[in-house]
């Protein structure tokens, strides 16, 4: 681990929580690993740890105010944001997290965050009730959608002597995540990846449609993981209530399978790989009524459905040496059906979701998959969060794309 961060510029943001005392250890670890560190501390942070300690450890004056107290010199948050290769905010208090999520730029730490061109990681630290509060969780979700990496707090005894989740991750673990970040970040740089996600809606009339329960969570997790490894991602999303603001994700919203096909075909031309996680409707009404269908007009109703285009198979037909990854969600003969699908759609890899496992499937935060590759290699993974499943899928993709 020695000098693993050599030449890296880290902005260490410290906000006002008791865990700020651990920031000195974290700073020491960054410096020992070879990083150059600029500490930015909030006014409350200074109540918990002195700038003198942090300046001595970092070898640089600590930035806290918009203007230096002695010289009146203006501290440029823009310059700091450009200098930064990574911004790590540890501890990130509920207040700082709330300000970050809402752009409340009333101190130097938040202005630096808003100006930062680099990736940002936060290590939250607070009491268990504050951490569990819906407003904190909503702010965390917002920051995640901005591409901020959250180093989850651990559970244990807190400064209040209450026991629960909210304890800032230990400095050596944060250091590990930072080293991992720099070693992984570039693994897909220069690659362009198409991801389809969510359901499609097929209109019956102006107020009704045929849809399915897909939430898009798996596809969004894949898009974010690919972007965090440096890939440019084109995310073609069906109607979902998810957000993503990762700077390397371009999102195209579609509704029907035909719209998804059109967007995916265009995007695929400029991509190196496509991961098709959308739950595309197999059929659509032959005709969509311009006006709302009236119940009085008929005793019963027969809808004539026509087959939708198969996006995966269409892309498979002109994939050349691009990599194509599909999904299979099967209720019976899972394995055989997945293999057949991989062949018929010319996929390089298929991700089989097990419906036998209660932790897998639509609208859940977890999934359990087996990844089968065209060369016959097969790996069955345990149930994990969709975020972690995305890591496995991207690891497998990297093994064939490079
Ligand atoms: O629906 P099916 O089980 O055949 O889907 C398997 C894979 O094919 C999935 O990756 C899905 O996104 C894709 N697919 C598609 N277009 C369709 C149907 C499925 O791209 N019309």
């Amino acid at each position: 681990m020695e000098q693993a961060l050599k030449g890296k510029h880290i902005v260490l943001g410290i906000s006002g929580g008791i865990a700020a005392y651990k920031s000195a250890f974290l700073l020491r670890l960054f410096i020992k690993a070879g990083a150059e560190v600029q500490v930015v501390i909030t006014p409350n942070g200074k109540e918990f740890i002195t700038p003198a300690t942090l300046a001595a450890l970092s070898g640089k004056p600590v930035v806290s105010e918009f203007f230096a107290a002695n010289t009146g010199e203006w501290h440029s948050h823009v310059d700091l944001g450009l200098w930064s290769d990574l911004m790590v905010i540890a501890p990130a208090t509920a207040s700082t997290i709330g300000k970050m999520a809402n752009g409340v730029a009333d101190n130097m730490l938040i202005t630096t965050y808003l100006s930062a061109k680099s990736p940002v990681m936060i290590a939250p630290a607070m009491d268990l009730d504050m951490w569990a509060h819906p407003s904190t969780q909503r702010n965390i979700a917002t920051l995640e959608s901005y591409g901020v990496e959250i180093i989850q707090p651990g559970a244990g005894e807190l400064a209040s002597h209450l026991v629960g989740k909210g304890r800032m991750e230990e400095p050596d673990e944060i250091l590990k995540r930072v080293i991992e970040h720099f070693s992984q970040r570039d693994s897909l740089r220069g690659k362009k990846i198409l991801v389809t996600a969510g359901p499609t809606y097929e209109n019956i009339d102006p107020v009704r449609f045929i849809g399915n329960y897909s939430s898009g969570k798996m596809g969004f997790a894949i898009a974010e993981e690919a972007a965090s490894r440096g890939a440019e991602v084109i995310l073609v999303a069906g109607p979902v209530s998810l957000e993503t603001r990762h700077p390397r994700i371009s999102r195209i919203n579609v509704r029907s399978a035909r719209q998804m096909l059109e967007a995916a075909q265009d995007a695929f031309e400029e991509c190196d790989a496509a991961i098709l996680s959308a739950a595309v409707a197999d059929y659509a009404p032959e005709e969509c009524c311009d006006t709302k269908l009236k119940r009085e007009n008929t005793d019963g109703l027969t809808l004539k459905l026509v087959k939708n285009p198969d996006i995966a198979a269409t892309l498979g037909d002109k994939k050349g040496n691009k990599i194509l990854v599909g999904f299979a969600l099967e209720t019976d003969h899972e394995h055989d059906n997945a293999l057949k699908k991989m062949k018929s759609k010319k996929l390089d890899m298929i991700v089989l979701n097990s419906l036998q496992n209660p932790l897998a499937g639509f609208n859940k935060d977890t999934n359990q998959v087996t990844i089968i590759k065209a060369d016959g290699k097969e790996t069955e993974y345990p149930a994990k969060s969709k975020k972690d499943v995305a890591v496995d899928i991207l690891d497998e993709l990297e093994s064939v794309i490079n």
Side-chain angles (χ1 to χ4, degrees):
M1 246 187 223
E2 204 66 2
Q3 297 292 294
L5 298 178
K6 197 167 172 10
K8 301 293 181 204
H9 293 173
I10 297 179
V11 171
L12 174 60
I14 300 177
S15 56
I18 179 64
Y21 79 91
K22 291 191 196 171
S23 307
F25 293 95
L26 180 60
L27 170 55
R28 185 83 193 105
L29 291 175
F30 285 161
I31 298 284
K32 270 173 79 177
E36 246 189 89
V37 184
Q38 174 62 62
V39 175
V40 182
I41 193 165
T42 64
N44 281 332
K46 289 192 286 189
E47 303 291 328
F48 290 92
I49 184 161
T50 71
T53 304
L54 300 164
L57 290 174
S58 67
K60 285 181 198 292
V62 169
V63 172
S64 177
E65 312 299 333
F66 292 111
F67 298 94
N70 43 356
T71 61
E73 183 198 352
W74 179 61
H75 289 134
S76 168
H77 51 90
V78 176
D79 286 352
L80 252 186
L82 290 173
W83 177 84
S84 164
D85 293 319
L86 176 70
M87 186 170 186
V88 181
I89 302 178
T93 58
S95 160
T96 286
I97 289 167
K99 288 179 186 181
M100 289 170 74
N102 295 287
V104 180
D106 68 348
N107 65 45
M108 189 65 193
L109 176 54
I110 307 296
T111 49
T112 305
Y113 160 68
L114 292 175
S115 311
K117 291 271 179 274
S118 67
V120 179
M121 284 183 181
I122 63 166
M126 63 198 77
D127 245 326
L128 69 165
D129 297 319
M130 293 174 82
W131 174 251
H133 196 280
S135 71
T136 308
Q137 290 306 311
R138 192 192 57 215
N139 288 333
I140 288 283
T142 302
L143 290 182
E144 276 185 313
S145 77
Y146 296 162
V148 173
E149 188 173 331
I150 315 295
I151 302 176
Q152 290 288 325
E157 189 179 346
L158 305 168
S160 59
H161 302 301
L162 295 171
V163 176
K165 195 169 174 183
R167 204 157 76 167
M168 187 174 93
E169 185 54 284
E170 293 304 325
D172 52 348
E173 281 303 317
I174 298 177
L175 174 72
K176 254 196 237 161
R177 289 282 289 270
V178 168
I179 291 174
E180 222 174 78
H181 161 89
F182 281 114
S183 55
Q184 275 203 2
R185 178 84 19 193
D186 282 340
S187 53
L188 284 173
R189 180 144 337 254
K191 303 287 182 203
K192 213 163 196 188
I193 298 180
L194 161 69
V195 179
T196 66
T200 64
Y201 285 178
E202 313 298 334
N203 286 352
I204 297 170
D205 68 15
V207 293
R208 304 182 181 94
F209 59 85
I210 298 173
N212 60 65
Y213 290 114
S214 170
S215 63
K217 284 179 185 169
M218 192 64 248
F220 274 60
I222 290 168
E224 282 181 1
E225 179 61 25
S228 79
R229 296 179 186 210
E232 289 295 329
V233 177
I234 303 178
L235 173 62
V236 178
V240 292
S241 56
L242 301 175
E243 277 192 73
T244 173
R245 289 199 193 83
H246 195 292
R248 275 192 296 276
I249 299 179
S250 317
R251 175 174 178 172
I252 302 170
N253 289 324
V254 296
R255 187 175 165 87
S256 66
R258 284 184 184 281
Q259 288 170 352
M260 187 173 274
L261 173 70
E262 212 170 288
Q265 267 182 311
D266 284 352
F268 194 51
E269 280 181 25
E270 45 178 305
C271 284
D272 302 286
I275 304 176
L276 306 172
S277 70
V280 185
D282 287 326
Y283 295 93
E286 186 175 41
E287 276 177 69
C288 168
C289 218
D290 289 342
T291 51
K292 187 179 167 193
L293 290 172
K294 297 271 184 306
R295 192 174 19 177
E296 305 87 67
N297 292 351
T298 137
D299 276 345
L301 177 68
T302 304
L303 279 178
K304 177 147 193 247
L305 303 179
V306 291
K307 216 167 182 178
N308 265 335
D310 188 320
I311 301 167
T314 311
L315 300 189
D317 274 339
K318 45 184 176 176
K319 72 188 269 289
N321 53 10
K322 297 176 190 228
I323 306 294
L324 203 54
V325 181
F327 276 71
L329 185 73
E330 302 292 332
T331 51
D332 59 296
H333 301 95
E334 300 182 305
H335 194 264
D336 287 350
N337 284 335
L339 285 180
K340 270 189 215 148
K341 234 163 240 186
M342 180 159 64
K343 220 168 166 199
S344 67
K345 300 186 192 219
K346 304 199 180 89
L347 307 174
D348 298 276
M349 224 165 91
I350 192 153
V351 182
L352 172 61
N353 295 278
S354 174
L355 269 190
Q356 318 299 341
N357 191 317
L359 291 172
F362 284 145
N363 235 326
K364 303 228 166 77
D365 289 321
T366 48
N367 204 359
Q368 199 250 303
V369 304
T370 301
I371 298 182
I372 310 168
K373 287 189 181 151
D375 66 7
K377 190 177 158 261
E378 195 175 310
T379 314
E380 191 178 337
Y381 291 90
K384 299 181 177 189
S385 71
K386 286 188 171 168
K387 259 175 174 293
D388 288 338
V389 173
V391 171
D392 293 334
I393 293 170
L394 268 299
D395 283 348
E396 295 272 10
L397 175 75
E398 277 187 20
S399 73
V400 288
I401 205 171
N402 289 317

